[in-house]
């Protein structure tokens, strides 16, 4: 009952924080902790905790197998990404993570065979750090879904579409999906009230013939959007610049709230967090993405989240690894 009570309190705190400001990653941490504590409390409320013991046994038995399955799926996705998207560092994330997940198993086999206590202790440090990073990943995935579900798309004064790269001067499928999503929202809002302003946001890359915003605006016009209802932000090269420059552009039109940011579904949560950090009053919605592309894209977003909170994550990992490392040092000395 104690675990259940803690879980209910955590979920209550999550609800309050979510209502106050949904663009916080800590909301996802609170939500996941609340679910875990409530689930543990409900399972453990059986006769003398037999349910909890059974769950623990199956979790202990199946976890290694599930990690191996996950490693295999990630490596398979990595191969697909390389075949379809080409040899780029970003496309190696799935393959690299799949290989990395196998390393602790190799170390464990080595430690057992060689009966090396020091290696076993170091392996424990790796497992604890991996567990923390896994928790953050699950919190990120869970809250990305929750945030995407609850974001409203009606009553917007402006819809900002974020660029994602061109093929020369052509809009590729990923960017077309964002533009189609924005047009769908624009048409619905226009039918029920004042037409929101559409902003295409994206500068010109070194391998692009025109600025992304220009090609995006042309795409919108080709699909029936009046040119006088589109504004172009053609300086940005990153998501943060998309937000800052679009805010400046909209401010000159007297718009500083009820702004909707349209990006790909995997990029929604991080876009919302960045919007809060730069002080723009906006929420984000996502456009569909090809399934084969999602794992690598989500991993890039996850790495971005870790990097933006690098000090906190480094401290947490160091604290978790400190105990096993100390044991390894002690074992080596004796």
């Amino acid at each position: 009952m104690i675990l259940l009570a803690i879980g209910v309190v955590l979920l209550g705190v999550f609800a309050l924080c979510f209502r106050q400001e949904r663009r916080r990653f800590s909301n996802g941490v609170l939500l996941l902790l609340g679910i875990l504590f409530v689930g543990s409390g409900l399972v453990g409320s059986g006769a003398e905790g037999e349910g909890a013991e059974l769950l623990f046994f199956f979790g202990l038995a199946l976890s290694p197998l599930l990690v191996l399955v996950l490693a295999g799926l990630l490596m398979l996705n990595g191969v697909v990404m390389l075949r379809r998207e080409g040899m780029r560092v970003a496309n190696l994330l799935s393959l690299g993570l799949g290989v990395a997940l196998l390393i602790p198993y190799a170390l464990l086999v080595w430690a057992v065979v060689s009966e090396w206590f020091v290696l076993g202790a170091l392996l424990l440090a790796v497992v604890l750090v991996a567990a923390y990073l896994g928790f953050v990943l699950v919190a990120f995935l869970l809250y990305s879904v929750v945030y995407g579900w609850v974001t409203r798309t009606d009553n917007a004064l402006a819809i900002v579409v974020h660029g994602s790269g061109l093929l020369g001067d052509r809009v590729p499928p990923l960017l077309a999906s964002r533009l189609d999503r924005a047009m769908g929202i624009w048409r619905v809002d226009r039918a029920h009230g004042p037409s929101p302003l559409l902003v295409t946001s994206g500068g010109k890359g070194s391998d692009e013939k025109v600025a992304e915003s220009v090609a995006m605006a042309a795409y919108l016009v080709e699909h029936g959007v009046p040119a006088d209802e589109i504004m172009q932000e053609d300086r940005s090269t990153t998501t943060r610049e998309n937000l800052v420059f679009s805010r400046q552009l909209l401010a000159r039109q007297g718009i500083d709230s009820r702004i909707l940011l349209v990006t790909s579904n995997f990029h929604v949560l991080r876009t919302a967090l960045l919007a809060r950090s730069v002080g723009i009053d906006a929420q984000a919605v996502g456009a569909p993405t090809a399934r084969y592309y999602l794992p690598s894209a989500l991993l890039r977003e996850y790495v971005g989240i870790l990097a933006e909170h690098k000090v906190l994550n480094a401290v947490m990992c160091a604290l978790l690894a400190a105990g096993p490392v100390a044991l390894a040092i002690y074992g080596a000395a004796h």
Side-chain angles (χ1 to χ4, degrees), residues 82-279:
L82 291 175
R83 292 179 60 184
R84 296 195 180 189
E85 300 291 330
M87 179 64 73
R88 291 186 294 175
V89 174
N91 296 337
L92 292 171
L93 277 176
S94 291
L95 182 61
L97 182 58
V99 173
L101 287 176
L102 296 178
I103 292 176
Y105 290 88
L107 291 175
L108 180 60
V109 172
W110 187 13
V112 171
V113 171
S114 62
E115 299 182 354
W116 192 9
F117 171 79
V118 173
L119 182 58
L122 291 176
L123 178 61
L124 177 58
V126 173
V127 169
L128 290 176
V129 171
Y132 168 75
L133 295 176
F135 174 86
V136 175
L137 175 59
V138 174
F140 164 69
L141 295 175
L142 173 65
Y143 195 55
S144 292
V145 173
V146 172
Y147 178 87
W149 277 345
V150 302
T151 301
R152 295 179 57 181
T153 60
D154 58 331
N155 203 31
L157 293 176
I159 302 172
V160 180
V161 191
H162 288 213
S164 63
L166 302 175
L167 294 175
D169 59 354
R170 294 185 297 108
V171 171
L174 182 69
L175 185 52
S177 179
R178 298 182 183 187
L179 292 164
D180 291 341
R181 177 81 162 110
M183 280 191 292
I185 297 170
W186 175 81
R187 291 192 176 104
V188 171
D189 286 0
R190 194 185 195 202
H192 295 87
S195 179
L197 181 65
L198 277 164
V199 179
T200 56
S201 180
K204 181 179 180 298
S206 59
D207 59 343
E208 297 171 340
K209 296 181 180 179
V210 298
E212 293 172 11
S213 61
V214 174
M216 293 161 68
Y219 182 95
L220 293 174
V221 171
E222 288 173 5
H223 288 78
V225 179
D228 59 359
E229 296 193 30
I230 304 172
M231 294 187 68
Q232 298 178 28
E233 181 286 297
D234 59 2
R235 295 185 293 157
S236 58
T237 58
T238 65
T239 301
R240 185 176 293 274
E241 289 181 354
N242 285 145
L243 296 167
V244 172
F245 296 153
S246 296
R247 179 185 60 185
Q248 295 171 356
L249 199 64
L250 290 171
R252 291 197 287 270
Q253 303 297 316
I255 299 176
D256 59 4
S257 63
R258 290 164 56 189
I259 300 168
L260 199 61
L261 311 171
V262 179
T263 184
S264 298
N265 50 10
F266 60 82
H267 194 40
V268 165
L269 181 57
R270 187 156 168 253
T271 298
L273 299 179
L274 284 171
R276 177 174 178 264
S277 71
V278 301

Side-chain angles (χ1 to χ4, degrees), residues 30-51:
L30 287 169
L31 177 60
L32 181 55
L33 284 173
I35 291 173
L36 290 175
F37 273 94
V38 168
S40 299
L42 291 175
V43 172
S45 62
E48 297 181 358
E50 292 179 1

